[in-house]
């Protein structure tokens, strides 16, 4: 079955003014869709096409198939990114809050670290909060690279820092974009679900 563009998990106007309808029309409707179309073209007639997306991404990484890796990883990263967003964003609670406080000292300290990682990342890529070897870690990867292609890492939260993510609403001001998203429209319930999944995966090992 061909890969599909998942619908946004929120109404297209829901994140304004932090992320406008126009940004989402382009970022989801054109950029994210283009990765789906290109990946389907690359997969046409291949056995791999019937596999789950995560499996295709890992197979492409292993085979050194850059075009397939880049397009499929970008599909996954964008779908994950949309799930990380909500309006209005609540604050972390329960186990997630406990883990954030234990690792970073406070939510504010985590947001500052994510902001610095997003702003400091050179050129295109993604800033991530991951569970790495059992510990919450802030990191970033270049271009399409994704924690799901790295052994021992589970993603909890991401921020797209490709220029196409912010140019319509913020022009070249990546710091303003990162600050607006991180402080106003993060879906911490989704992040908490990812932490729970990462912890139960670890407990099962
Ligand atoms: Mn993007």
């Amino acid at each position: 079955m061909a890969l599909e563009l998942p619908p946004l998990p929120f109404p297209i106007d829901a994140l304004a003014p932090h992320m406008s309808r126009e940004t989402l029309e382009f970022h989801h409707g054109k950029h994210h869709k283009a990765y789906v179309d290109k990946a389907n073209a690359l997969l046409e007639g291949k056995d791999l096409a019937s596999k789950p997306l995560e499996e295709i991404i890992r197979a492409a990484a292993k085979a050194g198939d850059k075009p397939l890796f880049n397009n499929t990883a970008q599909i996954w990263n964008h779908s994950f990114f949309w799930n990380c967003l909500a309006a209005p964003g609540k604050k972390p609670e329960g186990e997630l809050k406990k883990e954030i406080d234990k690792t970073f000292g406070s939510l504010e300290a985590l947001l500052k670290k994510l902001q610095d990682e997003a702003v400091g990342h050179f050129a295109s890529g993604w800033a991530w909060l991951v569970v790495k070897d059992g510990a919450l870690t802030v990191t970033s990867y270049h271009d399409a690279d994704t924690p799901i292609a790295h052994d021992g890492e589970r993603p909890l939260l991401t921020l797209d820092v490709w220029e196409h993510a912010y140019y319509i609403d913020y022009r070249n001001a990546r710091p303003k974009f990162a600050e607006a998203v991180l402080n106003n429209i993060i879906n911490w319930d989704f992040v908490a679900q990812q932490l729970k999944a990462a912890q139960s995966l670890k407990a099962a090992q």
Side-chain angles (χ1 to χ4, degrees):
M1 207 184 84
L3 299 168
E4 285 176 8
L5 178 69
L8 288 170
F10 43 76
I12 198 160
D13 287 322
L15 307 182
H18 310 294
M19 192 179 289
S20 68
R21 162 188 279 266
E22 190 185 1
T23 283
L24 285 161
E25 281 171 353
F26 277 83
H27 199 175
H28 174 260
K30 298 199 185 294
H31 292 283
H32 193 178
K33 183 178 185 299
Y35 297 124
V36 175
D37 292 344
K38 281 180 204 156
N40 280 326
L42 291 166
L43 284 163
E44 199 163 343
K46 291 188 181 161
D47 291 342
L48 202 54
S50 62
K51 303 287 186 198
L53 181 60
E54 291 196 27
E55 212 173 301
I56 299 174
I57 293 166
R58 291 195 194 97
K62 210 172 156 191
D65 186 337
K66 270 278 180 194
L68 185 60
F69 177 80
N70 286 338
N71 284 286
T72 52
Q74 283 292 76
I75 298 172
W76 196 94
N77 288 346
H78 282 91
S79 300
F80 190 84
F81 180 43
W82 307 136
N83 281 321
C84 290
L85 304 178
K90 293 188 289 179
K91 296 283 183 225
E93 296 167 358
E95 181 66 17
L96 176 62
K97 182 182 183 323
K98 215 173 84 187
E99 283 295 316
I100 289 172
D101 290 347
K102 193 178 86 184
T103 309
F104 303 102
S106 65
L107 174 64
E108 291 65 34
L110 165 62
L111 292 176
K112 168 87 170 61
K113 213 167 161 58
L114 279 164
Q115 170 85 17
D116 290 348
E117 188 77 33
V119 172
H121 184 90
F122 186 75
S124 294
W126 299 77
W128 297 90
L129 174 65
V130 301
V131 178
K132 185 177 181 180
D133 304 323
L136 261 59
T137 306
V138 170
T139 187
S140 58
Y141 287 121
H142 290 304
D143 300 330
D145 199 7
T146 176
I148 64 162
H150 295 255
D151 287 341
E153 288 187 27
R154 295 295 306 173
L156 302 186
L157 167 65
T158 193
L159 181 66
D160 188 343
V161 296
W162 284 55
E163 214 170 63
H164 70 221
Y166 53 87
Y167 211 82
I168 291 171
D169 293 335
Y170 301 91
R171 293 299 168 193
N172 59 328
R174 188 192 289 185
K176 281 187 187 164
F177 160 74
E179 197 182 347
V181 172
L182 291 171
N183 287 285
N184 296 291
I185 52 171
I186 295 298
N187 185 349
W188 292 104
D189 287 343
F190 176 77
V191 180
Q193 285 165 21
Q194 304 316 300
L195 176 64
K196 206 171 170 185
Q199 287 173 334
S200 59
L201 203 72
K202 190 163 183 286
Q205 278 168 355

